């Protein structure tokens, strides 16, 4: 069971979810008519040493099709990551084109957007995460001689600590329009911590800033995702705190932001793709991808 002061590596608890996100992106990248391309995702998985998550092994399980629960979990993971990644990439690129030359990725995990996206000249991408996660990620990127159009700055800090001070110390300017990304973060925070996080972002986000995040709807039962977590070696109660209910969009609308959102299922439909897993009531229509503009 998670606690408020727990820690993790890249292969256990919350850290393992970063590997699952990378796996989903790797599987989508390797698929026909892929919505996204992440050339780093498969290498992150490989470097973790978690051979059970190797994309080739997962694809072999799909080809065998002798485990319906695993097939369903893989379909959910791949399609969720495809839709989520495609929409977030588009939102960040649009905000950058509109003048947000600072990008802050909170709980950056194995996100490789600093290297994948066509950033405008003069863009700085700040990545904030726990030291062990950033160390693992940097080792892989350095070995691959990865290059970026942006200036990438990593900030090793637990988001339960004073991360804004650490971010400012790394060169972040709160007077500049910024695009903020909280991908896969809010569901792991209590209601009070979600409000605290959004309040802190608001203090450092002037007019013209953009905030992107995904969040379960209030009625979403996290237990519905249990089959996915267990299929990949994680128990759901190892990941989730007692998060309660917090209407993030409503809170933002009342605190200086204008928001819009789409469900993962709706996004997939708009991209011309259907998935039985994501069109029923288990996941796709219970998770929203929110894009908010500071007014």
């Amino acid at each position: 069971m998670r606690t408020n002061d727990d820690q993790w590596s890249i292969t256990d608890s919350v850290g393992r979810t970063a590997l699952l996100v990378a796996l989903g992106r790797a599987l989508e990248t390797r698929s026909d008519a892929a919505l996204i391309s992440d050339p780093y995702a498969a290498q992150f998985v490989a470097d973790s040493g978690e051979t059970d998550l190797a994309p080739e092994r997962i694809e072999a399980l799909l080809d065998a099709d002798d485990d319906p629960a695993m097939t369903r979990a893989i379909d959910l993971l791949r399609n969720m990551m495809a839709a989520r990644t495609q929409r977030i990439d588009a939102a960040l690129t649009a905000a950058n084109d509109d003048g947000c030359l600072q990008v802050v990725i909170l709980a950056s995990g194995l996100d490789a957007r600093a290297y994948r996206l066509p950033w405008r000249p003069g863009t700085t991408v700040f990545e904030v995460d726990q030291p062990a996660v950033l160390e693992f990620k940097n080792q892989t990127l350095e070995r691959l001689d990865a290059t970026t159009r942006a200036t990438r700055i990593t900030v090793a800090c637990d988001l339960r600590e004073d991360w804004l001070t650490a971010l400012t110390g790394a060169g972040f300017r709160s007077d500049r329009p910024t695009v903020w990304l909280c991908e896969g973060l809010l569901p792991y925070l209590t209601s009070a911590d979600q409000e605290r996080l959004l309040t802190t972002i608001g203090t450092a986000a002037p007019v013209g800033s953009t905030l992107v995040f995904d969040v379960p709807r209030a009625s979403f039962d996290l237990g519905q995702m249990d089959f996915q977590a267990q299929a990949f070696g994680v128990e759901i109660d190892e990941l989730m705190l007692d998060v309660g209910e917090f209407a993030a969009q409503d809170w933002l609308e009342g605190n200086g932001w204008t928001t819009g959102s789409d469900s993962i299922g709706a996004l997939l439909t708009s991209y011309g793709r259907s998935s039985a897993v994501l069109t029923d009531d288990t996941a796709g229509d219970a998770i929203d991808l929110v894009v908010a503009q500071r007014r």
Side-chain angles (χ1 to χ4, degrees):
M1 179 69 69
R2 289 206 51 214
T3 60
N4 278 322
D5 59 354
D6 58 351
Q7 301 292 320
W8 52 84
S9 71
I10 199 65
T11 58
D12 68 298
S13 186
V14 177
R16 189 172 175 87
T17 67
L19 285 178
L20 297 185
V21 170
L23 171 61
R25 289 176 178 158
L27 290 171
E28 177 64 17
T29 297
R30 293 162 61 92
S31 68
D32 295 334
L35 293 177
I36 63 169
S37 176
D38 187 339
Y40 305 99
Q43 193 61 55
F44 287 136
V45 176
D47 286 357
S48 74
E50 296 290 296
T51 56
D52 59 319
L53 296 182
E56 298 84 355
R57 178 183 181 276
I58 300 298
E59 289 169 346
L61 292 174
L62 281 176
D63 291 340
D65 196 26
D66 57 2
D67 186 342
M70 176 59 82
T71 298
R72 189 166 181 265
I74 294 169
D75 185 42
L76 173 61
L77 177 66
R78 183 175 64 82
N79 280 285
M80 281 188 68
M81 291 308 106
R84 196 171 86 176
T85 302
Q86 172 77 344
R87 181 67 184 96
I88 291 173
D89 285 358
L92 266 60
T93 299
N96 187 235
D97 288 342
D98 286 343
C100 289
L101 299 184
Q102 282 188 144
V103 181
V104 177
I105 304 176
L106 299 177
S108 57
L110 301 182
D111 182 306
R113 289 186 174 92
Y115 298 87
R116 291 194 298 104
L117 297 187
W119 302 111
R120 288 180 56 188
T123 298
T124 300
V125 178
F126 295 92
E127 297 185 13
V128 184
D129 212 323
Q130 294 205 12
V133 175
L134 290 174
E135 181 181 5
F136 170 84
K137 181 177 181 178
N138 289 339
Q139 287 175 350
T140 293
L141 292 170
E142 290 169 6
R143 188 167 53 76
L144 293 175
D145 292 326
T147 60
T148 172
R149 298 185 185 186
T151 298
R152 174 177 176 260
I153 298 175
T154 59
V155 182
C157 182
D158 193 309
L159 289 174
R160 294 165 294 191
E161 300 171 357
D162 184 7
W163 58 267
L164 184 55
T165 295
L167 183 64
T168 302
F172 170 78
R173 291 277 301 274
S174 61
D175 59 339
R176 294 180 177 176
T178 300
V179 54
W180 298 80
L181 174 58
C182 305
E183 181 182 14
L185 174 57
L186 268 65
Y188 298 99
L189 302 177
T190 65
S191 295
D193 285 342
Q194 290 182 48
E195 183 173 358
R196 187 177 300 111
L197 176 76
L198 296 180
T199 299
T200 301
I201 291 173
T203 66
V207 172
S209 296
T210 296
L211 169 61
V212 184
F213 62 95
D214 56 310
V215 63
R217 295 180 182 173
S219 60
F220 182 46
D221 178 6
L222 289 169
Q224 295 172 1
M225 298 292 288
D226 203 25
F227 75 90
Q228 181 198 8
Q230 291 178 353
F232 294 106
V234 176
E235 295 293 332
I236 203 72
D237 64 0
E238 293 179 358
L239 302 180
M240 303 298 175
L241 294 160
D242 181 11
V243 298
E245 292 186 1
F246 175 67
Q249 282 187 258
D250 291 344
W251 188 92
L252 287 168
E253 289 283 353
N255 287 274
W257 299 82
T258 299
T259 70
S261 64
D262 295 285
S263 72
I264 297 296
L267 286 171
L268 277 173
T269 299
S270 72
Y271 298 145
R273 177 180 295 184
S274 63
S275 167
V277 171
L278 287 169
T279 54
D280 63 21
D281 62 0
T282 61
D285 288 327
I287 299 176
D288 285 326
L289 198 293
V290 180
V291 179
Q293 307 293 335
R294 186 67 160 166
R295 61 177 188 265

